[in-house]
Amino acid sequence: MIIAIDGPAGSGKSTVARRIAELLGFHYLDTGAMYRAVTVAALKRGIGLEDESALAGLARAVRIDFGYRPGEALPSQVLIDGEDVTRAIRLPATDEGVSRVASLPEVRSALVAQQCALAAQADTVVEGRDIGTVVFPDAELKVFLTADPKVRARRRIEQNEAHDIGGELDRRSAYEALLARDEADSNRAYSPLAAAPDARVLDTTDLTLDEVIARILTWTAEIRKGEAQ
Ligand code: DC
C-alpha cells in the first residue's frame, strides 16, 4: 500500500508521515530530502543553479541513501554519495536553492525514478509535493495537508530548531522564505505542488498532531476494509 502525503512546507507533512509510518509499520520516504540532497551536492561542487544540464547530470549521477541511527525504526539520515548531509539539507542556503533545482524536469524525472524504485519494495508512506499527482497517481490513499502560512512558518522554525539550525533565520525572513518557496513550487510548469483530484484535503491549522494522525488512520482503515471485501 502507498500512502501519499503532499502539501506545502510546514503543513505538518513530515511529522505526520513519519508517525503514520511508525504506527502502521510502513517504510517512510521523504522525497523533499532528495531534492535538498541534490541541491547540497550542487552547492558543494560549485555547480551554478542556472546550469540546467549540469544539475540534471548531477541528479542522475549521485547516489542518495537514507540512513538509520541506532535503534531507530525509520531513517533520519540523508547521505549523498556516502556523505552525511542530514544537517546541510536543512540550512537556509539549501532552502533558497531547492525550489530552483526541483523545478527542472530532468532533475525531477531522475529522482522520481528512484522514488518509484524505493517505494515499490514495501508498504510506504511517501511525502512530497507531487506524490498523488505524478509519482504515485494510483496510491491507495492520497492526503493533501494545508495550513495557514503563519502557522506553517512557525512549525518550520520549530523543525529547524529541532535540527539545531535555529537562530540563522529570524521569524520574518522564515515567513517570507516560506511564502516565496510556496509560490515557486505551486507555479512551476512541471509537476507543481497540487492536490490530486481524488486527494483528501485536510487543513491542519487548528488540529493537533494526534487529530491529524487519527483522521489518516481512520481513512487507511476504511480503505483496507474496502479492499478486503
Ligand atoms: O518538503 P521539503 O520542504 O523538504 O521540500 C524541499 C523542496 O523540494 C520544496 O521546495 C519542494 C521540492 N519538492 C518537490 O518539488 N517535489 C517533491 N516531491 C518534494 C519536494
Side-chain angles (χ1 to χ4, degrees):
M1 180 178 193
I2 298 282
I3 300 180
I5 303 193
D6 290 301
S11 56
K13 278 187 322 276
S14 300
T15 315
V16 169
R18 292 187 76 90
R19 196 80 193 102
I20 295 285
E22 265 167 16
L23 291 167
L24 295 174
F26 280 28
H27 285 195
Y28 162 69
L29 180 59
D30 175 1
T31 62
M34 299 173 77
Y35 292 96
R36 288 173 177 273
V38 171
T39 307
V40 168
L43 295 173
K44 277 184 190 264
R45 292 169 202 204
I47 296 175
L49 297 190
E50 71 298 328
D51 191 343
E52 199 166 332
S53 70
L55 290 170
L58 180 70
R60 283 191 288 267
V62 288
R63 183 185 162 82
I64 301 171
D65 290 303
F66 292 96
Y68 295 77
R69 294 199 171 90
E72 278 180 347
L74 297 177
S76 64
Q77 288 177 318
V78 183
L79 298 106
I80 192 149
D81 287 339
E83 187 188 347
D84 188 338
V85 290
T86 312
R87 186 166 186 277
I89 63 168
R90 305 288 163 199
L91 292 174
T94 313
D95 270 350
E96 260 170 50
V98 66
S99 284
R100 159 73 188 156
V101 172
S103 72
L104 302 175
E106 286 185 63
V107 169
R108 298 198 71 83
S109 54
L111 296 190
V112 167
Q114 292 185 37
Q115 291 158 18
C116 290
L118 285 168
Q121 297 167 6
D123 290 334
T124 308
V125 180
V126 189
E127 69 151 288
R129 302 290 191 290
D130 59 340
I131 308 306
T133 49
V134 174
V135 186
F136 289 107
D138 297 327
E140 286 87 341
L141 174 60
K142 299 177 187 179
V143 179
F144 191 87
L145 298 181
T146 62
D148 176 85
K150 290 213 164 75
V151 171
R152 293 195 284 109
R154 194 189 66 223
R155 289 179 184 159
R156 187 37 68 101
I157 289 168
E158 285 166 5
Q159 202 177 33
N160 282 351
E161 282 168 358
H163 285 101
D164 202 18
I165 303 169
E168 293 190 31
L169 267 187
D170 65 41
R171 274 172 195 260
R172 183 155 181 81
S173 13
Y175 178 63
E176 280 163 8
L178 183 119
L179 289 186
R181 203 142 60 82
D182 279 359
E183 170 87 7
D185 294 336
S186 306
N187 294 315
R188 67 180 177 226
Y190 196 74
S191 302
L193 163 68
D198 54 347
R200 300 175 198 228
V201 179
L202 191 55
D203 184 336
T204 68
T205 307
D206 297 316
L207 296 179
T208 64
L209 176 61
D210 285 346
E211 287 168 330
V212 177
I213 304 283
R215 196 78 61 92
I216 297 175
L217 289 178
T218 304
W219 287 334
T220 307
E222 284 168 6
I223 289 165
R224 285 178 147 177
K225 206 167 141 201
E227 281 174 354
Q229 278 168 1

